[in-house]
Amino acid sequence: MKCVNCGNDIPDKAKFCPYCGTQNEPKQKAAGNEQTTEQYQQPWEQPGQKATVSLDYSLILKIGTGILALIYVIFAIRYFVGGVRSFLSIFSWGYAMYIPQAVLTLINSVCFGGMAAILVLIGFSKQREKAKALFTVLGILGVAVIGLSFLRMIWTLIMGGSFVFYVRILLSPLFGTVAVLGATYGMLYIVKEAPTAQDYYNMNSMSDVFKDCADAVQGAAKDVASDVNSKTEEYRSKNTSYSSYNQNSGYQGQNYSNATPLKTDRGLLGYILLTFITCGIYSYYFIYSVARDVNVACEGDGKSTGGLLKFMILSIITCGIYGWIWQYSLGNRLAANAPRYGMNFQENGTTVLLWDLFGLFLCGIGPFIAMNIIIKNTNSICMAYNRSKGFM
């Protein structure tokens, strides 16, 4: 071994040159240290390997299609409510000219609901080979939405509407559908499941296309339903086991059953604002949630409060009269079940109905007072139920 400074021979293990005093490291050791430093420069990496980060694109597909499906569900409900209102206007005021508008609006809501369902199947079905056919179904429904919007625009113009205003009836669904189809295709392209032009060229006839689409929808729907059922059964089994364990352990004063607390914070101001913001959609959700909670809190009295579907169907048949009947029956049921929870309501169904009918002559505030009575008594019943089950 030679000194790096003076070039004289020095012992192999010497750290300093005995002639000039220059520090010298053994070459093998230095090489070894150099190799070690280079090899393990990043402690999380193995020799000869580089750290890689894998991105789960299937999760992106699920989240993206889920958000788009939720948007289309909102549109479906909105159009359905609009179609029902048009039909109610026909029965109430005799405007037969609104029949085509109502029919087209309801069909449009069905298409929106169908697109929401297909988006869910695209994102959550495990049968990934059917994704291309499902995207074709999504495109067909999108074209149907655009066509129905065009017919609605034409009919509105025939009835004397403004062209500049009602052209938005066509443009909004057109650009919205194109954007959704483009976003869905992009997500499918990322996961390498997007259809290509060659896929459609290879199809023999339109009957084959519709057959493949029908098979894909049926298979994907069964797959998603099976997955949901399995997860539901798993949750129920775990919940039942947990409930049995706590009952056998002798816990007292708390509720460990499958019951869940009921909503107790409804308010008249929130009802009015949310109904206005959602263009009337919240009022139907209010009916659904109140009927659900009252049926739970008043279970065992031999009565049942009609749900949203029954409310909407009978309201159409009775030209809106069933809404008053529903509130009258609900008011009586709340008053009748109050004593079982140690309460006493002064207002009953008759009080609510009188405010609905004769309260209209008091600057129209009667129906709001009737609704406030229903909200107040429902909150009280639900709060007493929660207390009896140990939730409060």
Side-chain angles (χ1 to χ4, degrees):
M1 177 177 173
K2 294 183 179 296
C3 176
V4 295
N5 184 31
C6 64
N8 294 319
D9 294 329
I10 59 177
D12 292 337
K13 296 183 179 180
K15 295 183 178 180
F16 298 93
C17 177
Y19 303 101
C20 64
T22 304
Q23 183 178 1
N24 291 271
E25 291 291 340
K27 293 182 179 180
Q28 294 180 353
K29 185 176 180 181
N33 290 339
E34 185 179 359
Q35 179 182 2
T36 303
T37 304
E38 180 180 359
Q39 185 175 3
Y40 298 100
Q41 186 174 1
Q42 295 180 349
W44 59 84
E45 293 183 3
Q46 296 297 326
Q49 295 182 353
K50 293 184 178 180
T52 57
V53 179
S54 60
L55 185 60
D56 188 2
Y57 293 110
S58 62
L59 181 60
I60 297 177
L61 179 64
K62 290 181 179 180
I63 296 175
T65 54
I67 294 174
L68 294 177
L70 180 60
I71 294 174
Y72 271 113
V73 167
I74 296 174
F75 273 103
I77 296 175
R78 182 179 178 183
Y79 273 70
F80 179 78
V81 172
V84 171
R85 285 184 173 179
S86 297
F87 271 114
L88 291 178
S89 299
I90 295 169
F91 293 123
S92 302
W93 307 101
Y95 294 155
M97 65 186 69
Y98 289 113
I99 293 179
Q101 183 78 6
V103 172
L104 291 174
T105 303
L106 289 176
I107 298 176
N108 221 335
S109 70
V110 173
C111 291
F112 281 136
M115 294 185 72
I118 297 300
L119 285 167
V120 171
L121 296 182
I122 291 176
F124 294 88
S125 176
K126 296 179 180 179
Q127 301 182 7
R128 304 312 309 167
E129 69 278 2
K130 300 184 182 297
K132 295 181 179 181
L134 291 174
F135 181 80
T136 303
V137 178
L138 185 68
I140 293 174
L141 290 174
V143 173
V145 167
I146 296 174
L148 289 169
S149 301
F150 178 76
L151 293 177
R152 289 177 58 234
M153 184 193 71
I154 295 299
W155 179 256
T156 305
L157 291 174
I158 293 175
M159 300 305 299
S162 171
F163 176 79
V164 177
F165 177 77
Y166 288 103
V167 74
R168 291 188 299 177
I169 298 177
L170 175 63
L171 293 182
S172 296
L174 175 62
F175 290 115
T177 301
V178 171
V180 170
L181 291 176
T184 306
Y185 187 88
M187 290 184 288
L188 289 175
Y189 182 81
I190 292 176
V191 297
K192 299 180 180 180
E193 296 173 359
T196 61
Q198 190 65 31
D199 294 330
Y200 297 107
Y201 290 151
N202 294 334
M203 294 181 178
N204 297 326
S205 62
M206 289 302 297
S207 61
D208 293 336
V209 175
F210 287 114
K211 183 178 182 301
D212 291 342
C213 292
D215 293 340
V217 172
Q218 183 178 5
K222 289 182 179 180
D223 178 62
V224 173
S226 176
D227 188 37
V228 171
N229 289 334
S230 62
K231 291 183 179 179
T232 302
E233 291 298 328
E234 181 181 358
Y235 172 79
R236 287 179 178 176
S237 62
K238 290 182 179 179
N239 201 16
T240 303
S241 301
Y242 182 72
S243 177
S244 301
Y245 170 77
N246 285 286
Q247 290 175 0
N248 295 331
S249 300
Y251 284 101
Q252 301 294 333
Q254 295 186 15
N255 178 51
Y256 293 98
S257 65
N258 292 332
T260 56
L262 304 181
K263 185 177 177 62
T264 60
D265 57 352
R266 298 180 178 90
L268 179 62
L269 180 59
Y271 170 82
I272 296 174
L273 291 178
L274 290 175
T275 300
F276 176 77
I277 294 173
T278 60
C279 301
I281 296 176
Y282 178 77
S283 63
Y284 292 95
Y285 172 76
F286 175 84
I287 293 170
Y288 161 77
S289 62
V290 167
R292 177 198 60 197
D293 289 355
V294 170
N295 284 330
V296 172
C298 301
E299 184 180 7
D301 63 347
K303 298 180 181 179
S304 177
T305 301
L308 178 59
L309 182 60
K310 181 179 179 180
F311 181 90
M312 299 183 69
I313 293 176
L314 292 181
S315 294
I316 294 175
I317 296 176
T318 61
C319 302
I321 297 177
Y322 178 75
W324 293 335
I325 300 175
W326 186 83
Q327 291 189 7
Y328 171 79
S329 301
L330 178 59
N332 282 336
R333 191 180 186 190
L334 293 172
N337 281 271
R340 68 189 280 188
Y341 292 109
M343 298 182 296
N344 182 28
F345 294 157
Q346 298 296 326
E347 309 92 348
N348 55 18
T350 302
T351 309
V352 173
L353 185 61
L354 289 176
W355 276 113
D356 272 329
L357 297 177
F358 298 102
L360 291 172
F361 298 101
L362 300 176
C363 300
I365 65 174
F368 296 103
I369 296 177
M371 182 58 67
N372 185 62
I373 294 173
I374 289 177
I375 292 175
K376 176 177 67 70
N377 292 349
T378 300
N379 286 342
S380 299
I381 285 286
C382 292
M383 190 176 299
Y385 171 85
N386 292 342
R387 190 179 298 110
S388 68
K389 296 297 181 180
F391 294 117
M392 298 182 63

